[in-house]
């Protein structure tokens, strides 16, 4: 059983080993397979295709499995590493040790947003963005989006989401106006703090963290480990409130065949949300 630590508590050597394992996955081509998988399942609710990963109830279990597979790939390189989490309510400035030279490197430079520091800077020669749409081969970040400033979510934002009594609500997409899932995933419309929580963090980091290819920035995994931990916290705060929808939706529902109820297996692993509700047999948070 491995422990996922808060990234701020990692030792120098733990950071070094994690970075080395990530770079080895990149070198072998395995890393880019994860980016490609994320692109493949980046389906919007404006499309009719099944939606296991985003704008959907199975946002949490799909990303839990995605992280677990990534973590197993890392552990095949170095059995002593695990994915740490980034609590962006606390480590909420560019001065955080997360962005130091010995860990993920810092912000992009003004001219082209290119990250110039740390192990993932293009000039280091180990981090070429291969799976991309229009952007360049170098990693980009744009902390706080100066042209239209955006802040990281606060403790109060997260606390509000954790109070949601229900896991999710119809119509089970980006427009669901209540429920823990969309409060955290962050599409909730008609509000000044939109985007919220999960989406807002992608927006604050900016650059490569925007859109379908966001796992190109290694901070993706640390961000999603914290999202996963928030799901654990919501579960323990609401022990009687389970995953929704529980039953397969009726054919008359607009979301029929597009969202995954409790026991419907999700691609690409053919694992249902019900098999991913309990993290305790897989890892612990420390
Ligand atoms: Cu995702
Ligand atoms: Cu995300």
């Amino acid at each position: 059983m491995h422990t996922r630590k808060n990234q701020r508590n990692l030792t120098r050597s733990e950071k070094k080993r994690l970075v080395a394992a990530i770079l080895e996955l990149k070198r072998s081509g395995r890393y880019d397979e994860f980016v490609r998988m994320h692109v493949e399942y980046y389906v919007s609710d404006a499309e009719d295709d099944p939606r296991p990963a985003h704008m959907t109830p199975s946002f949490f279990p799909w990303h839990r499995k995605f992280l677990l597979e990534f973590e197993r790939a890392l552990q095949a390189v170095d059995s002593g590493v695990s994915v740490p989490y980034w609590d962006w309510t606390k480590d909420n400035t560019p001065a955080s040790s997360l962005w130091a030279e010995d860990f993920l490197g810092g912000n992009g430079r003004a001219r082209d947003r290119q990250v110039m520091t740390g192990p993932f800077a293009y000039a280091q020669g180990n981090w070429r963005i291969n799976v991309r749409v229009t952007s360049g081969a170098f990693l980009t970040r744009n902390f706080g989006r100066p042209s239209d400033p955006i802040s990281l979510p606060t403790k109060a934002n997260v606390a509000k989401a954790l109070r949601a009594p229900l896991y999710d609500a119809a119509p089970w997409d980006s427009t669901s106006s209540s429920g823990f899932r969309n409060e955290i995933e962050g599409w909730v419309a008609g509000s000044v703090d939109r985007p919220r929580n999960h989406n807002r963090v992608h927006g604050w980091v900016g650059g490569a963290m925007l859109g379908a290819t966001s796992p190109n920035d290694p901070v993706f995994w640390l961000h999603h480990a914290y999202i996963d931990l928030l799901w654990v916290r919501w579960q323990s705060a609401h022990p009687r409130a389970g995953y929704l929808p529980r039953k397969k939706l009726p054919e008359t529902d607009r979301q029929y065949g597009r969202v995954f109820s409790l026991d419907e297996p999700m691609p690409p692993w053919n694992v249902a949300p019900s098999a991913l509700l309990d993290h305790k047999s897989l890892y612990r948070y420390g």
Side-chain angles (χ1 to χ4, degrees):
M1 172 82 67
H2 60 278
T3 298
R4 292 183 176 174
K5 289 183 162 185
N6 186 324
Q7 62 78 25
R8 61 152 65 185
N9 298 326
L10 295 183
T11 64
R12 264 170 108 90
S13 112
E14 285 171 328
K15 290 181 201 179
K16 223 177 171 160
R17 287 172 68 177
L18 177 61
V19 167
I22 292 173
L23 292 178
E24 171 54 22
L25 288 186
K26 182 71 170 175
R27 194 203 56 75
S28 71
R30 283 282 282 134
Y31 193 96
D32 288 344
E33 288 173 27
F34 285 98
V35 184
R36 246 174 245 117
M37 185 189 293
H38 195 262
V39 171
E40 186 180 346
Y41 292 98
Y42 203 80
V43 176
S44 147
D45 55 14
E47 301 165 62
D48 291 329
D49 295 338
R51 237 173 31 247
H54 306 101
M55 300 179 166
T56 196
S58 52
F59 169 75
F60 286 97
W62 193 91
H63 283 86
R64 173 167 287 173
K65 182 66 176 162
F66 187 53
L67 253 71
L68 204 49
E69 292 296 308
F70 178 73
E71 194 167 50
R72 282 175 182 156
L74 286 175
Q75 290 168 344
V77 174
D78 180 344
S79 60
V81 304
S82 52
V83 176
Y85 64 90
W86 169 31
D87 177 349
W88 26 254
T89 67
K90 288 202 186 98
D91 293 305
N92 56 1
T93 77
S96 158
S97 61
L98 172 65
W99 309 113
E101 291 231 31
D102 70 344
F103 200 16
L104 301 190
N107 198 4
R109 64 180 174 189
R111 174 150 60 88
D112 56 2
R113 312 290 176 221
Q114 182 171 178
V115 170
M116 303 303 290
T117 55
F120 307 103
Y122 188 75
Q124 295 290 315
N126 299 316
W127 204 259
R128 184 193 156 81
I129 308 289
N130 299 309
V131 184
R132 53 194 152 116
V133 193
T134 50
S135 45
F138 49 81
L139 179 64
T140 53
R141 292 180 185 139
N142 187 25
F143 291 166
R145 203 173 57 198
S147 65
D148 176 18
I150 185 172
S151 56
L152 284 167
T154 64
K155 257 192 164 94
N157 297 146
V158 167
K160 177 175 184 278
L162 289 174
R163 282 195 298 269
L166 293 182
Y167 175 77
D168 205 348
W172 319 108
D173 62 10
S174 68
T175 69
S176 294
S177 60
S178 66
F180 170 70
R181 189 272 309 171
N182 204 22
E183 279 286 339
I184 290 292
E185 192 180 3
W187 305 102
V188 180
S191 135
V192 285
D193 60 342
R194 185 172 187 253
R196 286 188 196 171
N197 299 309
H198 158 266
N199 284 343
R200 197 171 183 90
V201 174
H202 279 275
W204 184 86
V205 178
M209 270 287 271
L210 303 174
T213 54
S214 50
N216 272 321
D217 189 331
V219 79
F220 173 93
W221 309 103
L222 284 73
H223 171 35
H224 271 273
Y226 187 55
I227 295 295
D228 188 79
L229 172 56
L230 293 179
W231 186 24
V232 171
R233 288 184 181 159
W234 180 84
Q235 287 174 315
S236 53
H238 306 272
R240 291 160 181 279
Y243 182 91
L244 294 172
R246 247 177 76 76
K247 296 260 161 60
K248 212 174 149 106
L249 297 176
E251 272 179 67
T252 49
D253 194 299
R254 229 179 72 72
Q255 299 298 333
Y256 172 79
R258 298 167 71 196
V259 305
F260 295 77
S261 61
L262 185 62
D263 291 310
E264 289 181 85
M266 303 178 292
W269 312 284
N270 216 30
V271 175
S274 54
L276 291 160
L277 299 181
D278 188 1
H279 76 291
K280 288 192 291 292
S281 61
L282 303 166
Y283 50 84
R284 75 176 115 239
Y285 282 103

